[in-house]
Amino acid sequence: MDKATPLLAEHRRLGAKLTEFSGWDMPLQYTGVIAEHNAVRTSVGVFDVSHLGKLRVSGWGAEEALQLAVTADIAALAPGRATYALVLNDDGGCVDDIFVYRLSDEWLVVPNAANVDAVAASIGSGDDVTVEDAWDRWAILAVQGPKAFDVVAALWPEAEAEGLPLHGFAIVDFGDDMGLIARTGYTGEPGVEVYVPSAAAPDAFAKLLDAGAVPVGLGARDTLRLEMGYALYGHEITTEIDPLEAGLGWAIKWDAPFRGRDALAKVKEEGPARKLFGIRCRDRGVPRQGYEVFGEQDLGVVTSGNFSPTLQTGIALALGPRATAPSEGDAVTIEARGRRIAGDIVRPPFVDRGKKRPTS
């Protein structure tokens, strides 16, 4: 039996099509991927992302342990702020991408569901640091879209969500326990992620729906993040792909002493062996992970591909040798089960952040 979030009964009640995802029963879609995608781009949607890991890190050695484990500057993270970061192995490969939230006297680390144990091991526990699996304490509801702040303000005005800086968060009282409302998300739209105590999650979810938020599944979550060119674990982020190849150099704090820094510094000095690039299709057809990309020669392999509801065509991220990397505007083809899909090299994001208008 797959694991369940506190909202599984609600998803079933709404008629969601469920799928197994990293060992969890999760909603793939409710009314349809395209409709849910467009709701987030034009109005407001709510995602159940409670399957994500939640690790509470505390103790007088917690800051040092976290700093060694992640690529961000942990010492500079003030209470009430969060940061995106990577966890690397000794060779500079990506173990996971995470968010780290600084509470008053501890940290909340949010890894991908499949990588909780690996991230916890990278941080390490001991006499001076405690890593506690706090998955069952909170559900996470991502409220995203142009009208997200209106909905959140009506339900939790004390958070003053729209006034939060990007990656800032507010502590919110949910009655018997505290939660967070954080200015984070993975859609390219305005919005927040609500960390609500698990027991209060069904009520919070119902209130969001009553306030006008559309329930959105994992299918639209993938098309939304891909339109923005955002990396996803298992696709652009793996132990076999380093952050510079994946275009995640911006997430590296080079003067921080994180694991894998020396190996990654060597990659930076010599130049990454591979490069990530975007493709917008001209022909009908949907590119998928693993499809080969060709120009005058073999250019690489699709890491993520899908149909873009905004652009009404296929889009893809692909990884290939840097020495033969195509340039923006170059024509390419994608091998898709015996046929070729024609496309052009574009620079992600495929659509403007927070807007429906395409960039090219």
PDB file of all heavy atoms in Angstrom, residues 199-230:
ATOM      1  N   ALA A 199      -3.460  17.805  11.136  1.00  0.00           N
ATOM      2  CA  ALA A 199      -4.839  17.635  11.546  1.00  0.00           C
ATOM      3  C   ALA A 199      -5.757  18.713  10.991  1.00  0.00           C
ATOM      4  O   ALA A 199      -6.953  18.493  10.803  1.00  0.00           O
ATOM      5  CB  ALA A 199      -4.931  17.620  13.073  1.00  0.00           C
ATOM      6  N   ALA A 200      -5.190  19.896  10.720  1.00  0.00           N
ATOM      7  CA  ALA A 200      -5.974  21.023  10.204  1.00  0.00           C
ATOM      8  C   ALA A 200      -5.984  21.081   8.682  1.00  0.00           C
ATOM      9  O   ALA A 200      -6.646  21.954   8.103  1.00  0.00           O
ATOM     10  CB  ALA A 200      -5.432  22.338  10.762  1.00  0.00           C
ATOM     11  N   ALA A 201      -5.264  20.168   8.013  1.00  0.00           N
ATOM     12  CA  ALA A 201      -5.103  20.242   6.561  1.00  0.00           C
ATOM     13  C   ALA A 201      -6.420  20.114   5.793  1.00  0.00           C
ATOM     14  O   ALA A 201      -6.672  20.893   4.873  1.00  0.00           O
ATOM     15  CB  ALA A 201      -4.104  19.201   6.091  1.00  0.00           C
ATOM     16  N   PRO A 202      -7.297  19.140   6.104  1.00  0.00           N
ATOM     17  CA  PRO A 202      -8.546  19.052   5.337  1.00  0.00           C
ATOM     18  C   PRO A 202      -9.378  20.325   5.417  1.00  0.00           C
ATOM     19  O   PRO A 202      -9.961  20.753   4.413  1.00  0.00           O
ATOM     20  CB  PRO A 202      -9.263  17.859   5.981  1.00  0.00           C
ATOM     21  CG  PRO A 202      -8.162  17.012   6.533  1.00  0.00           C
ATOM     22  CD  PRO A 202      -7.147  17.997   7.035  1.00  0.00           C
ATOM     23  N   ASP A 203      -9.445  20.939   6.595  1.00  0.00           N
ATOM     24  CA  ASP A 203     -10.213  22.173   6.743  1.00  0.00           C
ATOM     25  C   ASP A 203      -9.580  23.305   5.937  1.00  0.00           C
ATOM     26  O   ASP A 203     -10.288  24.065   5.259  1.00  0.00           O
ATOM     27  CB  ASP A 203     -10.295  22.559   8.217  1.00  0.00           C
ATOM     28  CG  ASP A 203     -11.103  23.825   8.440  1.00  0.00           C
ATOM     29  OD1 ASP A 203     -12.302  23.829   8.110  1.00  0.00           O
ATOM     30  OD2 ASP A 203     -10.528  24.817   8.940  1.00  0.00           O
ATOM     31  N   ALA A 204      -8.251  23.427   5.992  1.00  0.00           N
ATOM     32  CA  ALA A 204      -7.559  24.479   5.235  1.00  0.00           C
ATOM     33  C   ALA A 204      -7.745  24.285   3.734  1.00  0.00           C
ATOM     34  O   ALA A 204      -7.975  25.246   2.989  1.00  0.00           O
ATOM     35  CB  ALA A 204      -6.073  24.489   5.590  1.00  0.00           C
ATOM     36  N   PHE A 205      -7.666  23.032   3.281  1.00  0.00           N
ATOM     37  CA  PHE A 205      -7.849  22.722   1.861  1.00  0.00           C
ATOM     38  C   PHE A 205      -9.267  23.098   1.416  1.00  0.00           C
ATOM     39  O   PHE A 205      -9.463  23.726   0.369  1.00  0.00           O
ATOM     40  CB  PHE A 205      -7.590  21.235   1.649  1.00  0.00           C
ATOM     41  CG  PHE A 205      -7.572  20.791   0.209  1.00  0.00           C
ATOM     42  CD1 PHE A 205      -6.617  21.267  -0.679  1.00  0.00           C
ATOM     43  CD2 PHE A 205      -8.494  19.862  -0.250  1.00  0.00           C
ATOM     44  CE1 PHE A 205      -6.592  20.837  -2.001  1.00  0.00           C
ATOM     45  CE2 PHE A 205      -8.478  19.431  -1.567  1.00  0.00           C
ATOM     46  CZ  PHE A 205      -7.524  19.918  -2.440  1.00  0.00           C
ATOM     47  N   ALA A 206     -10.262  22.749   2.224  1.00  0.00           N
ATOM     48  CA  ALA A 206     -11.655  23.067   1.896  1.00  0.00           C
ATOM     49  C   ALA A 206     -11.871  24.581   1.833  1.00  0.00           C
ATOM     50  O   ALA A 206     -12.579  25.077   0.948  1.00  0.00           O
ATOM     51  CB  ALA A 206     -12.590  22.437   2.924  1.00  0.00           C
ATOM     52  N   LYS A 207     -11.277  25.304   2.757  1.00  0.00           N
ATOM     53  CA  LYS A 207     -11.416  26.760   2.752  1.00  0.00           C
ATOM     54  C   LYS A 207     -10.784  27.382   1.510  1.00  0.00           C
ATOM     55  O   LYS A 207     -11.326  28.343   0.938  1.00  0.00           O
ATOM     56  CB  LYS A 207     -10.789  27.350   4.013  1.00  0.00           C
ATOM     57  CG  LYS A 207     -11.608  27.102   5.269  1.00  0.00           C
ATOM     58  CD  LYS A 207     -10.931  27.689   6.500  1.00  0.00           C
ATOM     59  CE  LYS A 207     -11.791  27.492   7.745  1.00  0.00           C
ATOM     60  NZ  LYS A 207     -11.121  28.006   8.967  1.00  0.00           N
ATOM     61  N   LEU A 208      -9.656  26.844   1.075  1.00  0.00           N
ATOM     62  CA  LEU A 208      -9.015  27.353  -0.145  1.00  0.00           C
ATOM     63  C   LEU A 208      -9.905  27.112  -1.360  1.00  0.00           C
ATOM     64  O   LEU A 208     -10.039  27.987  -2.228  1.00  0.00           O
ATOM     65  CB  LEU A 208      -7.650  26.693  -0.334  1.00  0.00           C
ATOM     66  CG  LEU A 208      -6.541  27.189   0.598  1.00  0.00           C
ATOM     67  CD1 LEU A 208      -5.368  26.229   0.610  1.00  0.00           C
ATOM     68  CD2 LEU A 208      -6.083  28.583   0.169  1.00  0.00           C
ATOM     69  N   LEU A 209     -10.523  25.938  -1.432  1.00  0.00           N
ATOM     70  CA  LEU A 209     -11.425  25.647  -2.547  1.00  0.00           C
ATOM     71  C   LEU A 209     -12.646  26.556  -2.502  1.00  0.00           C
ATOM     72  O   LEU A 209     -13.080  27.082  -3.540  1.00  0.00           O
ATOM     73  CB  LEU A 209     -11.853  24.184  -2.515  1.00  0.00           C
ATOM     74  CG  LEU A 209     -10.744  23.127  -2.658  1.00  0.00           C
ATOM     75  CD1 LEU A 209     -11.357  21.731  -2.691  1.00  0.00           C
ATOM     76  CD2 LEU A 209      -9.886  23.367  -3.880  1.00  0.00           C
ATOM     77  N   ASP A 210     -13.199  26.769  -1.303  1.00  0.00           N
ATOM     78  CA  ASP A 210     -14.361  27.647  -1.159  1.00  0.00           C
ATOM     79  C   ASP A 210     -14.023  29.082  -1.553  1.00  0.00           C
ATOM     80  O   ASP A 210     -14.888  29.829  -2.041  1.00  0.00           O
ATOM     81  CB  ASP A 210     -14.873  27.623   0.279  1.00  0.00           C
ATOM     82  CG  ASP A 210     -15.557  26.315   0.644  1.00  0.00           C
ATOM     83  OD1 ASP A 210     -15.910  25.557  -0.284  1.00  0.00           O
ATOM     84  OD2 ASP A 210     -15.729  26.046   1.847  1.00  0.00           O
ATOM     85  N   ALA A 211     -12.758  29.468  -1.350  1.00  0.00           N
ATOM     86  CA  ALA A 211     -12.325  30.826  -1.680  1.00  0.00           C
ATOM     87  C   ALA A 211     -11.994  31.006  -3.158  1.00  0.00           C
ATOM     88  O   ALA A 211     -11.645  32.113  -3.591  1.00  0.00           O
ATOM     89  CB  ALA A 211     -11.109  31.210  -0.838  1.00  0.00           C
ATOM     90  N   GLY A 212     -12.093  29.917  -3.935  1.00  0.00           N
ATOM     91  CA  GLY A 212     -11.904  30.035  -5.380  1.00  0.00           C
ATOM     92  C   GLY A 212     -10.701  29.338  -5.953  1.00  0.00           C
ATOM     93  O   GLY A 212     -10.498  29.340  -7.176  1.00  0.00           O
ATOM     94  N   ALA A 213      -9.859  28.726  -5.118  1.00  0.00           N
ATOM     95  CA  ALA A 213      -8.696  28.012  -5.641  1.00  0.00           C
ATOM     96  C   ALA A 213      -9.134  26.716  -6.315  1.00  0.00           C
ATOM     97  O   ALA A 213     -10.013  26.007  -5.815  1.00  0.00           O
ATOM     98  CB  ALA A 213      -7.710  27.715  -4.522  1.00  0.00           C
ATOM     99  N   VAL A 214      -8.518  26.416  -7.442  1.00  0.00           N
ATOM    100  CA  VAL A 214      -8.805  25.195  -8.200  1.00  0.00           C
ATOM    101  C   VAL A 214      -7.830  24.109  -7.760  1.00  0.00           C
ATOM    102  O   VAL A 214      -6.622  24.355  -7.683  1.00  0.00           O
ATOM    103  CB  VAL A 214      -8.655  25.458  -9.710  1.00  0.00           C
ATOM    104  CG1 VAL A 214      -8.763  24.160 -10.507  1.00  0.00           C
ATOM    105  CG2 VAL A 214      -9.686  26.471 -10.170  1.00  0.00           C
ATOM    106  N   PRO A 215      -8.286  22.889  -7.436  1.00  0.00           N
ATOM    107  CA  PRO A 215      -7.344  21.825  -7.089  1.00  0.00           C
ATOM    108  C   PRO A 215      -6.524  21.409  -8.311  1.00  0.00           C
ATOM    109  O   PRO A 215      -7.074  21.246  -9.402  1.00  0.00           O
ATOM    110  CB  PRO A 215      -8.250  20.694  -6.602  1.00  0.00           C
ATOM    111  CG  PRO A 215      -9.559  20.933  -7.275  1.00  0.00           C
ATOM    112  CD  PRO A 215      -9.690  22.427  -7.412  1.00  0.00           C
ATOM    113  N   VAL A 216      -5.226  21.267  -8.104  1.00  0.00           N
ATOM    114  CA  VAL A 216      -4.303  20.992  -9.210  1.00  0.00           C
ATOM    115  C   VAL A 216      -3.448  19.779  -8.851  1.00  0.00           C
ATOM    116  O   VAL A 216      -2.957  19.664  -7.721  1.00  0.00           O
ATOM    117  CB  VAL A 216      -3.402  22.207  -9.485  1.00  0.00           C
ATOM    118  CG1 VAL A 216      -2.497  21.943 -10.692  1.00  0.00           C
ATOM    119  CG2 VAL A 216      -4.246  23.454  -9.724  1.00  0.00           C
ATOM    120  N   GLY A 217      -3.253  18.885  -9.813  1.00  0.00           N
ATOM    121  CA  GLY A 217      -2.482  17.671  -9.584  1.00  0.00           C
ATOM    122  C   GLY A 217      -1.053  17.759 -10.076  1.00  0.00           C
ATOM    123  O   GLY A 217      -0.581  18.789 -10.574  1.00  0.00           O
ATOM    124  N   LEU A 218      -0.361  16.633  -9.968  1.00  0.00           N
ATOM    125  CA  LEU A 218       1.052  16.574 -10.344  1.00  0.00           C
ATOM    126  C   LEU A 218       1.272  16.780 -11.841  1.00  0.00           C
ATOM    127  O   LEU A 218       2.344  17.243 -12.252  1.00  0.00           O
ATOM    128  CB  LEU A 218       1.643  15.223  -9.932  1.00  0.00           C
ATOM    129  CG  LEU A 218       1.728  14.929  -8.436  1.00  0.00           C
ATOM    130  CD1 LEU A 218       2.348  13.550  -8.229  1.00  0.00           C
ATOM    131  CD2 LEU A 218       2.535  15.992  -7.710  1.00  0.00           C
ATOM    132  N   GLY A 219       0.281  16.437 -12.660  1.00  0.00           N
ATOM    133  CA  GLY A 219       0.441  16.615 -14.104  1.00  0.00           C
ATOM    134  C   GLY A 219       0.675  18.070 -14.456  1.00  0.00           C
ATOM    135  O   GLY A 219       1.616  18.411 -15.191  1.00  0.00           O
ATOM    136  N   ALA A 220      -0.173  18.957 -13.948  1.00  0.00           N
ATOM    137  CA  ALA A 220      -0.020  20.378 -14.229  1.00  0.00           C
ATOM    138  C   ALA A 220       1.174  20.969 -13.494  1.00  0.00           C
ATOM    139  O   ALA A 220       1.799  21.928 -13.974  1.00  0.00           O
ATOM    140  CB  ALA A 220      -1.285  21.141 -13.856  1.00  0.00           C
ATOM    141  N   ARG A 221       1.515  20.423 -12.353  1.00  0.00           N
ATOM    142  CA  ARG A 221       2.713  20.895 -11.654  1.00  0.00           C
ATOM    143  C   ARG A 221       3.939  20.715 -12.541  1.00  0.00           C
ATOM    144  O   ARG A 221       4.836  21.567 -12.571  1.00  0.00           O
ATOM    145  CB  ARG A 221       2.882  20.130 -10.336  1.00  0.00           C
ATOM    146  CG  ARG A 221       4.017  20.643  -9.454  1.00  0.00           C
ATOM    147  CD  ARG A 221       3.915  20.032  -8.063  1.00  0.00           C
ATOM    148  NE  ARG A 221       4.960  20.523  -7.177  1.00  0.00           N
ATOM    149  CZ  ARG A 221       6.007  19.815  -6.780  1.00  0.00           C
ATOM    150  NH1 ARG A 221       6.157  18.572  -7.201  1.00  0.00           N
ATOM    151  NH2 ARG A 221       6.905  20.325  -5.967  1.00  0.00           N
ATOM    152  N   ASP A 222       3.975  19.609 -13.298  1.00  0.00           N
ATOM    153  CA  ASP A 222       5.118  19.361 -14.179  1.00  0.00           C
ATOM    154  C   ASP A 222       5.108  20.300 -15.378  1.00  0.00           C
ATOM    155  O   ASP A 222       6.153  20.836 -15.764  1.00  0.00           O
ATOM    156  CB  ASP A 222       5.123  17.907 -14.644  1.00  0.00           C
ATOM    157  CG  ASP A 222       6.391  17.579 -15.413  1.00  0.00           C
ATOM    158  OD1 ASP A 222       7.486  17.721 -14.834  1.00  0.00           O
ATOM    159  OD2 ASP A 222       6.296  17.208 -16.599  1.00  0.00           O
ATOM    160  N   THR A 223       3.946  20.524 -16.003  1.00  0.00           N
ATOM    161  CA  THR A 223       3.926  21.420 -17.166  1.00  0.00           C
ATOM    162  C   THR A 223       4.229  22.856 -16.755  1.00  0.00           C
ATOM    163  O   THR A 223       4.887  23.590 -17.495  1.00  0.00           O
ATOM    164  CB  THR A 223       2.560  21.354 -17.889  1.00  0.00           C
ATOM    165  OG1 THR A 223       1.508  21.672 -16.974  1.00  0.00           O
ATOM    166  CG2 THR A 223       2.327  19.973 -18.474  1.00  0.00           C
ATOM    167  N   LEU A 224       3.775  23.266 -15.588  1.00  0.00           N
ATOM    168  CA  LEU A 224       4.042  24.618 -15.108  1.00  0.00           C
ATOM    169  C   LEU A 224       5.529  24.833 -14.855  1.00  0.00           C
ATOM    170  O   LEU A 224       6.107  25.838 -15.290  1.00  0.00           O
ATOM    171  CB  LEU A 224       3.243  24.890 -13.822  1.00  0.00           C
ATOM    172  CG  LEU A 224       1.736  25.053 -14.014  1.00  0.00           C
ATOM    173  CD1 LEU A 224       1.001  24.786 -12.702  1.00  0.00           C
ATOM    174  CD2 LEU A 224       1.404  26.450 -14.542  1.00  0.00           C
ATOM    175  N   ARG A 225       6.170  23.886 -14.172  1.00  0.00           N
ATOM    176  CA  ARG A 225       7.602  24.072 -13.871  1.00  0.00           C
ATOM    177  C   ARG A 225       8.447  23.972 -15.146  1.00  0.00           C
ATOM    178  O   ARG A 225       9.432  24.679 -15.304  1.00  0.00           O
ATOM    179  CB  ARG A 225       8.054  23.098 -12.793  1.00  0.00           C
ATOM    180  CG  ARG A 225       8.183  21.633 -13.185  1.00  0.00           C
ATOM    181  CD  ARG A 225       9.533  21.233 -13.709  1.00  0.00           C
ATOM    182  NE  ARG A 225       9.480  19.896 -14.310  1.00  0.00           N
ATOM    183  CZ  ARG A 225      10.480  19.388 -15.009  1.00  0.00           C
ATOM    184  NH1 ARG A 225      11.592  20.057 -15.208  1.00  0.00           N
ATOM    185  NH2 ARG A 225      10.365  18.190 -15.550  1.00  0.00           N
ATOM    186  N   LEU A 226       8.016  23.095 -16.088  1.00  0.00           N
ATOM    187  CA  LEU A 226       8.788  22.953 -17.317  1.00  0.00           C
ATOM    188  C   LEU A 226       8.701  24.209 -18.168  1.00  0.00           C
ATOM    189  O   LEU A 226       9.695  24.621 -18.779  1.00  0.00           O
ATOM    190  CB  LEU A 226       8.312  21.729 -18.108  1.00  0.00           C
ATOM    191  CG  LEU A 226       9.069  21.428 -19.400  1.00  0.00           C
ATOM    192  CD1 LEU A 226      10.569  21.267 -19.145  1.00  0.00           C
ATOM    193  CD2 LEU A 226       8.503  20.174 -20.062  1.00  0.00           C
ATOM    194  N   GLU A 227       7.528  24.853 -18.232  1.00  0.00           N
ATOM    195  CA  GLU A 227       7.428  26.110 -18.979  1.00  0.00           C
ATOM    196  C   GLU A 227       8.396  27.156 -18.446  1.00  0.00           C
ATOM    197  O   GLU A 227       8.856  28.025 -19.182  1.00  0.00           O
ATOM    198  CB  GLU A 227       5.998  26.648 -18.928  1.00  0.00           C
ATOM    199  CG  GLU A 227       5.031  25.899 -19.811  1.00  0.00           C
ATOM    200  CD  GLU A 227       3.671  26.570 -19.887  1.00  0.00           C
ATOM    201  OE1 GLU A 227       3.384  27.486 -19.077  1.00  0.00           O
ATOM    202  OE2 GLU A 227       2.877  26.185 -20.768  1.00  0.00           O
ATOM    203  N   MET A 228       8.726  27.083 -17.163  1.00  0.00           N
ATOM    204  CA  MET A 228       9.676  28.015 -16.561  1.00  0.00           C
ATOM    205  C   MET A 228      11.116  27.549 -16.694  1.00  0.00           C
ATOM    206  O   MET A 228      12.043  28.269 -16.314  1.00  0.00           O
ATOM    207  CB  MET A 228       9.345  28.232 -15.078  1.00  0.00           C
ATOM    208  CG  MET A 228       7.966  28.807 -14.819  1.00  0.00           C
ATOM    209  SD  MET A 228       7.600  30.249 -15.858  1.00  0.00           S
ATOM    210  CE  MET A 228       8.922  31.348 -15.387  1.00  0.00           C
ATOM    211  N   GLY A 229      11.321  26.344 -17.200  1.00  0.00           N
ATOM    212  CA  GLY A 229      12.677  25.814 -17.318  1.00  0.00           C
ATOM    213  C   GLY A 229      13.277  25.398 -15.991  1.00  0.00           C
ATOM    214  O   GLY A 229      14.496  25.298 -15.862  1.00  0.00           O
ATOM    215  N   TYR A 230      12.430  25.118 -14.993  1.00  0.00           N
ATOM    216  CA  TYR A 230      12.915  24.736 -13.674  1.00  0.00           C
ATOM    217  C   TYR A 230      13.379  23.278 -13.674  1.00  0.00           C
ATOM    218  O   TYR A 230      12.706  22.396 -14.204  1.00  0.00           O
ATOM    219  CB  TYR A 230      11.819  24.898 -12.620  1.00  0.00           C
ATOM    220  CG  TYR A 230      11.419  26.313 -12.319  1.00  0.00           C
ATOM    221  CD1 TYR A 230      10.180  26.584 -11.745  1.00  0.00           C
ATOM    222  CD2 TYR A 230      12.257  27.399 -12.586  1.00  0.00           C
ATOM    223  CE1 TYR A 230       9.791  27.886 -11.442  1.00  0.00           C
ATOM    224  CE2 TYR A 230      11.878  28.700 -12.295  1.00  0.00           C
ATOM    225  CZ  TYR A 230      10.644  28.936 -11.723  1.00  0.00           C
ATOM    226  OH  TYR A 230      10.258  30.217 -11.421  1.00  0.00           O
TER     227      TYR A 230
END
